[in-house]
Amino acid sequence: MSTRSPDSLSGTTLHERYVLGRRVRSDASGTGYTAHDLATERTVVVTVMHPHPEGDESAAEAFLARAQALADVSGRGLAATLGHGRDGEYVYSVTEFASGETLTDVLHRPDQYLRYSPATALSVVADVLQGLDATHRAGLTHGAISTDMIVLDDDGRVRLTGFTLLSDAAPDTRVDVHDMGVVLHTLMTGAAPANDTRPLRPSASVPEIPPDLDMLVANATEPNPRHRPRDAGHYLAMVDQVLRVLPGDYGNREAEDTRPIPVVPPPGEDAAAGAVPFWKRVPVLVGACVLVLALFAGGWAFVADSGAELPDLVGSDPDTAASELAALELDLDVSLGETYSDDIGPGDVAETTPEPGSDLEEGDEVVLHVSDGPQHVDVPDVAGGSEGDARTALREAGFGEIDVVQEHSADHEPGTVLSTAPEAGEEADREEPVTVNVSEGVIVPELVGMGQGEAGEQLDGLDLVTETVQDHHETAPEGEVIGQTPEPGSILPEEGTVTLTVSAGPEEDEEPEDDDSAAEEEDEGADDDNGGECGGAEAWDPDTTYDGGDQVHFRGRVYEAQHWVQTIPPSIGEEWGAWQEVGSC
């Protein structure tokens, strides 16, 4: 039997609760594993932080702080963060296991071209944006959204997974908006777009997609972040507006489900080999025929160019403006931008590029700059409230950049807003950050591994109250702290209580078993001696490493290891394919 691979934690148990299973993903934050939660008997995902240099606690503290912040956020379309902790050298976060298929898997069926109808694609994206909006309101971002990170279950619900827990980049809600635009494009076309310096337009791949959807995707995927919707809530409002006004069958959500549309390639072409489907080739064929007919009818004559003047669209809503431009029949390249305006209300067109009255020709680009309201507004009074409420109020006032500075305050509960800069009531530039000063309380230190006396002295020095409970531990010496509540990094008010779990040493030997227990043990021994009844399998041992093909017996059943496995009991190992039942004793 082999030893455990050093680069895999499969089979490891954290805090005697989470039994790590198969590896599911890895990023800059750490490696994610499916895991069995022994306390709740359900499957979760545990992300274990990559090892950090000894003595460098900043990365671990940042990891745990972000996990805690995510745990405080809930909403439709999110896989919930359930907890986090540190077990020796391992720093980890626990999230809900989202069962189902990723949207990438849904679209990539073997030998098929698959995509979503516009209404279904918008509904899926709207559900994800609802959860992402809650995240953005809490001052958090995802950082790596793609169809790989969105899971669709059997009931048609979607959940966003894979939040990064460590990142060198500053949080930017407009990056998440861009990624959601790419997701919407992928759902409607069936293929992830190639890198491009221009805004994406799904109608280039699927010509029947309405112009409103082109504008929605193009607006989110603008190369200049300044021209994108500012956050998930802003983009969600635009998605809902387009979804409500989709023409004809596109807007019939009652008839929609979450199954993608199969697009069958022409006979004789191999879909798996990447043949171009017929619906993508029709516009090319039609265009070629039209060109031939035009040349034939006109001989060597040239057709005079036609054009029109750009109408004055200032004050119109974007949909009305887009309809007026479409009526010019010049196949204009229309996109949306943002601008501040003291005169035009938010959401309406404040200016255009080019200016009204300019001459337009076939295929010209027109940008509708939508008002984002005035650039200078009064700072709302948020003092005395929570940090979360302050962020919400400031974002609703139009401030996009919010800096939080924690200050010690013995008179306020942790998380209470003390003041802002600029102060409440002052007129401030929305392009500039607003600083929110928040009471930090007392940060709970790491106490596990200390002696009871040392830990108590440290808490006394922080004006925190110590409570102690005892529990037996097989290896920790008597009097050593083996657990604490709340966890390190938590914030408490002065004179808050920290409960220490202190080792009482190993449990004493149990009393002699009664006659019935002894008889059961004798029977089990008889089964072990009788190799025929258990197929010659040995009893399962949590400290033994098993290779594929090894057999054990456990609770009267015989199991065979499917691959390298350690620690995972056969009764739950079947869930991950680690064990397979082959018979009974």
Side-chain angles (χ1 to χ4, degrees):
M1 297 182 184
S2 62
T3 57
R4 179 164 65 101
S5 171
D7 62 349
S8 173
L9 297 179
S10 296
T12 302
T13 302
L14 299 178
H15 274 142
E16 300 182 356
R17 175 173 178 175
Y18 302 108
V19 183
L20 304 187
R22 62 183 177 86
R23 174 175 168 171
V24 292
R25 65 171 176 267
S26 183
D27 58 23
S29 305
T31 302
Y33 300 85
T34 59
H36 183 75
D37 184 348
L38 298 174
T40 62
E41 293 296 330
R42 65 175 178 174
T43 301
V44 295
V45 174
V46 174
T47 301
V48 182
M49 178 182 161
H50 294 314
H52 55 282
E54 187 174 355
D56 178 12
E57 285 295 305
S58 59
E61 291 173 359
F63 182 100
L64 293 172
R66 181 163 167 83
Q68 178 61 56
L70 287 169
D72 293 337
V73 178
S74 62
R76 179 177 180 177
L78 291 178
T81 299
L82 305 175
H84 56 279
R86 184 199 302 256
D87 187 356
E89 62 181 312
Y90 301 124
V91 178
Y92 65 90
S93 171
V94 183
T95 57
E96 175 188 12
F97 175 74
S99 61
E101 295 181 287
T102 68
L103 292 181
T104 300
D105 293 335
V106 172
L107 294 175
H108 292 173
R109 304 294 190 200
D111 300 329
Q112 286 183 296
Y113 294 97
L114 297 174
R115 61 183 176 89
Y116 277 114
S117 69
T120 302
L122 285 175
S123 297
V124 169
V125 166
D127 283 349
V128 177
L129 286 171
Q130 286 188 39
L132 192 60
D133 179 34
T135 306
H136 285 181
R137 287 177 178 272
L140 302 169
T141 56
H142 186 286
I145 300 174
S146 68
T147 52
D148 291 328
M149 298 298 175
I150 303 172
V151 177
L152 177 71
D153 67 17
D154 292 338
D155 296 325
R157 296 174 300 181
V158 292
R159 277 175 288 181
L160 179 61
T161 66
F163 279 82
T164 54
L165 293 168
L166 283 178
S167 176
D168 296 329
D172 189 344
T173 55
R174 295 178 194 254
V175 171
D176 285 349
V177 169
H178 175 276
D179 292 347
M180 288 304 301
V182 173
V183 167
L184 180 56
H185 178 280
T186 302
L187 295 182
M188 292 191 294
T189 64
N195 291 332
D196 201 338
T197 58
R198 294 177 61 84
L200 298 175
R201 296 189 178 278
S203 65
S205 299
V206 184
E208 62 267 30
I209 288 179
D212 283 350
L213 286 159
D214 257 0
M215 293 178 62
L216 193 60
V217 173
N219 195 32
T221 57
E222 276 280 352
N224 185 347
R226 177 70 182 83
H227 295 157
R228 301 174 198 157
R230 61 180 175 270
D231 55 26
H234 188 187
Y235 196 43
L236 176 60
M238 296 172 65
V239 168
D240 282 341
Q241 182 181 12
V242 172
L243 190 53
R244 286 195 301 268
V245 300
L246 279 179
D249 292 338
Y250 283 122
N252 183 10
R253 296 180 66 180
E254 298 299 326
E256 294 290 335
D257 57 31
T258 52
R259 291 175 296 181
I261 303 170
V263 184
V264 182
E269 294 190 2
D270 184 2
V276 178
F278 182 70
W279 55 270
K280 285 188 178 181
R281 300 193 301 140
V282 167
V284 178
L285 297 176
V286 172
C289 291
V290 170
L291 178 60
V292 171
L293 289 175
L295 291 174
F296 179 80
W300 296 103
F302 291 95
V303 178
D305 291 335
S306 60
E309 284 189 359
L310 177 63
D312 186 356
L313 303 173
V314 174
S316 304
D317 66 83
D319 290 331
T320 301
S323 298
E324 288 192 41
L325 293 174
L328 299 178
E329 298 183 350
L330 292 177
D331 193 22
L332 299 172
D333 183 3
V334 181
S335 60
L336 295 179
E338 287 185 32
T339 188
Y340 293 116
S341 176
D342 295 329
D343 304 317
I344 304 299
D348 290 336
V349 177
E351 57 185 67
T352 60
T353 303
E355 296 180 350
S358 300
D359 292 331
L360 296 177
E361 296 181 356
E362 185 83 15
D364 278 353
E365 182 177 1
V366 176
V367 180
L368 305 175
H369 300 281
V370 178
S371 171
D372 199 20
Q375 183 170 348
H376 296 84
V377 297
D378 291 343
V379 177
D381 186 0
V382 295
S386 68
E387 178 186 336
D389 290 343
R391 287 182 180 276
T392 299
L394 289 168
R395 288 188 182 279
E396 289 178 349
F399 295 102
E401 187 174 353
I402 303 169
D403 296 333
V404 176
V405 176
Q406 293 192 338
E407 296 181 0
H408 176 72
S409 174
D411 301 325
H412 295 85
E413 290 291 322
T416 302
V417 176
L418 306 176
S419 61
T420 60
E423 295 181 356
E426 289 187 9
E427 188 174 76
D429 188 342
R430 292 167 56 191
E431 288 290 315
E432 299 296 327
V434 174
T435 300
V436 180
N437 300 304
V438 178
S439 172
E440 68 175 1
V442 181
I443 300 177
V444 178
E446 170 71 63
L447 302 167
V448 174
M450 294 183 180
Q452 179 179 347
E454 180 186 0
E457 290 177 2
Q458 188 161 345
L459 292 175
D460 287 343
L462 296 172
D463 291 330
L464 295 175
V465 177
T466 305
E467 289 189 354
T468 304
V469 297
Q470 289 192 328
D471 194 9
H472 292 288
H473 197 281
E474 292 301 316
T475 58
E478 187 174 351
E480 180 178 303
V481 178
I482 58 175
Q484 68 180 89
T485 302
E487 295 183 348
S490 302
I491 298 177
L492 292 178
E494 289 188 358
E495 300 185 0
T497 299
V498 177
T499 301
L500 302 178
T501 303
V502 178
S503 172
E507 290 189 77
E508 298 180 1
D509 294 337
E510 296 180 0
E511 295 294 327
E513 297 177 342
D514 56 28
D515 293 342
D516 292 339
S517 298
E520 290 178 5
E521 187 172 87
E522 184 177 347
D523 290 341
E524 288 181 6
D527 284 344
D528 290 344
D529 293 336
N530 185 351
E533 291 190 22
C534 274
E538 62 184 37
W540 175 74
D541 180 4
D543 297 324
T544 300
T545 301
Y546 298 97
D547 288 324
D550 292 339
Q551 291 192 351
V552 300
H553 69 80
F554 182 77
R555 296 180 181 175
R557 299 286 179 180
V558 178
Y559 296 87
E560 182 175 293
Q562 301 302 295
H563 49 72
W564 176 92
V565 62
Q566 183 188 43
T567 306
I568 301 177
S571 59
I572 66 172
E574 286 188 290
E575 182 178 349
W576 302 316
W579 294 97
Q580 181 176 353
E581 183 181 336
V582 296
S584 59
C585 293

